[in-house]
Amino acid sequence: MPAIHSDNIRHALKLYFIMGSINCKANPLHVLSEAIAGGITIFQFREKGPTALIGQAKFELAKQLQTLCQAHRIPFIVNDDIDLAIAIGADGIHVGQDDEPVSSLRKRLGPHAIIGVSAHTLEEAQQAIQDGANYLGVGPIYPTKSKDDAKESQGTRLIEQLRAQGILIPLVGIGGITLDKAACILHAGVDGVSVISAIAQADSVRDVTTQFIREIEMNQLNV
Ligand code: 3NM
């Protein structure tokens, strides 16, 4: 049974932890289990970068991380790799602008899969919504070292623009988000924040995750 129906995605986006093996200082399974203990609400497996696992090793890590998420009813999203998402029965997929279009992903994954799209402009956001995305990742809000081909950071401008136009789709901010920056992103109108390094590289993954949750709960407007 999926951890979540795509209609209920808004609440799950509250603290969206994204990670692959290259992002972790410690064993990825340990990092994820600490993040779950700290309170993350959704997880994305993003195995990318020069030393990323491929083939069977990638599949096995995905399966192990998914099993951990399933035990805690945390939705498990796969970045980009549709074949992997189907093979393991992931709850959904997250894609960028250069990946397979949402309409084709929807056909392959079915009506209840969560499909997230990265949007950097109003036009990209409108297109993704029209194509049937369940949520948008908007970024990079701040400069990031976790994505080689990240666009120029743009602050909360696009989030504000989308909400000012009355666009209600669930939104999550991404890019360079640290504990001290979460509040202002939430006030711009997102439903949650996506974080790689501020959690994956923390000395205490559990403590920083708990602090993120506290900060989000104090500043969340879209509840
Ligand atoms: N996507 P960190 S920025 C995966 O702008 C990703 O679409 C982005 O990592 C986008 O929290 C980004 O370490 C990296 O900055 C986020």
Side-chain angles (χ1 to χ4, degrees):
M1 197 169 75
I4 188 178
H5 189 284
S6 50
D7 291 348
N8 301 325
I9 184 69
R10 192 179 302 278
H11 289 291
L13 290 177
K14 183 164 149 182
L15 182 53
Y16 193 160
F17 181 41
I18 303 176
M19 173 206 97
S21 57
I22 76 157
N23 305 117
C24 299
K25 288 206 291 191
N27 178 310
L29 275 168
H30 178 70
V31 171
L32 180 58
S33 84
E34 287 291 289
I36 291 174
I40 61 160
T41 51
I42 186 167
F43 174 69
Q44 182 188 126
F45 178 57
R46 183 175 183 275
E47 188 63 20
K48 281 199 169 159
T51 58
L53 300 175
I54 54 169
Q56 189 61 20
K58 178 180 180 185
F59 178 87
E60 273 163 23
L61 179 59
K63 257 329 263 179
Q64 288 172 338
L65 296 171
Q66 181 192 31
T67 302
L68 196 52
C69 283
Q70 282 170 336
H72 297 274
R73 301 204 52 75
I74 302 291
F76 184 89
I77 309 295
V78 170
N79 183 285
D80 203 4
D81 188 339
I82 177 81
D83 293 332
L84 177 64
I86 291 171
I88 65 174
D91 294 301
I93 189 145
H94 186 96
V95 290
Q97 291 295 319
D98 300 327
D99 301 321
E100 194 169 323
V102 174
S103 52
S104 140
L105 293 170
R106 180 65 69 202
K107 277 198 203 109
R108 292 173 69 188
L109 286 169
H112 301 310
I114 297 166
I115 301 181
V117 176
S118 298
H120 312 97
T121 65
L122 181 60
E123 293 70 34
E124 288 177 359
Q126 286 167 329
Q127 187 65 53
I129 293 165
Q130 197 181 317
D131 293 345
N134 299 105
Y135 75 90
L136 303 180
V138 178
I141 312 283
Y142 300 107
T144 176
K145 292 196 176 103
S146 305
K147 184 172 160 77
D148 290 341
D149 57 349
K151 304 245 181 326
E152 202 178 325
S153 57
Q154 54 168 317
T156 53
R157 196 167 34 86
L158 180 56
I159 297 165
E160 280 144 14
Q161 203 180 359
L162 291 167
R163 292 310 191 209
Q165 300 234 350
I167 291 172
L168 297 173
I169 190 168
L171 293 180
V172 68
I174 185 161
I177 300 179
T178 46
L179 205 45
D180 55 313
K181 293 181 176 132
C184 107
I185 303 165
L186 289 155
H187 285 271
V190 293
D191 298 281
V193 292
S194 288
V195 179
I196 300 182
S197 50
I199 292 179
Q201 312 254 310
D203 289 334
S204 171
V205 168
R206 188 189 296 224
D207 287 353
V208 83
T209 305
T210 309
Q211 288 164 18
F212 261 110
I213 288 290
R214 203 175 303 137
E215 189 68 9
I216 293 164
E217 286 176 350
M218 280 190 323
N219 291 284
Q220 202 168 31
L221 306 179
N222 300 340
V223 282

